[in-house]
Amino acid sequence: MAFAKEHPMPFNKIHVPEDLPTETCRAINDLLHETLVKTCSSHPDDYFCLVCRYPAGDMIFHPTFLGQRDVESTIVIEIALLAGRSDTQKDALFKDVRQRMAEIGFDPRNSIMFLIENAPIDWSFSEAGSVKSVWAT
């Protein structure tokens, strides 16, 4: 599949407690992917995720910073993506993800999300080099 400049790709990293069921992790990534397609114009085929598990006590969260959370159940969603989304798109992304989490039975208060934006030169998926190099050919 060729990289689509009009649909800058994301890469999701979901940091979860080690006892969170695999099915829940997949459901969270699925809803995250669906939301990225809906709100941020990500391509439906750009489906990349790494689930990182941590034992209790290895993640240190303030239980009341900007809202109440269950520290033992908190997940962190880190989304790396090519820059270019508007603040409106980002706000819609955060809101929609939290709404969908509630719909699958995961308390959205127990989630922290953040975006890391970068440029095509910062990505490489093959020996062809950076995404910028592939787009230039």
Side-chain angles (χ1 to χ4, degrees):
M1 174 187 161
F3 293 105
K5 294 179 193 178
E6 66 277 6
H7 299 286
M9 81 223 41
F11 186 99
N12 306 325
K13 193 184 288 186
I14 304 175
H15 305 268
V16 303
E18 63 187 351
D19 61 349
L20 191 67
T22 298
E23 298 78 24
T24 303
C25 296
R26 289 188 180 275
I28 290 169
N29 188 62
D30 286 347
L31 69 84
L32 178 57
H33 178 72
E34 292 165 7
T35 298
L36 282 161
V37 170
K38 174 184 166 186
T39 63
C40 292
S41 300
S42 294
H43 194 281
D45 290 341
D46 288 344
Y47 190 83
F48 304 99
C49 179
L50 177 63
V51 175
C52 304
R53 296 184 177 279
Y54 61 89
D58 277 4
M59 293 291 268
I60 302 166
F61 299 113
H62 192 287
T64 60
F65 183 74
L66 298 178
Q68 281 295 129
R69 74 183 39 83
D70 174 2
V71 175
E72 298 290 319
S73 300
T74 296
I75 66 170
V76 176
I77 298 174
E78 177 182 347
I79 306 167
L81 69 171
L82 293 173
R85 275 57 172 218
S86 69
D87 289 352
T88 302
Q89 286 176 298
K90 294 172 189 178
D91 284 338
L93 168 71
F94 295 140
K95 181 179 178 181
D96 196 63
V97 166
R98 285 198 163 86
Q99 178 183 341
R100 290 175 187 238
M101 282 183 184
E103 291 170 2
I104 67 163
F106 187 88
D107 187 343
R109 293 176 298 178
N110 296 332
S111 65
I112 298 170
M113 291 183 271
F114 63 94
L115 304 174
I116 300 171
E117 294 183 301
N118 51 35
I121 192 68
D122 300 316
W123 293 78
S124 178
F125 285 84
S126 71
E127 66 280 352
S130 72
V131 171
K132 180 179 180 183
S133 301
V134 171
W135 283 351
T137 58

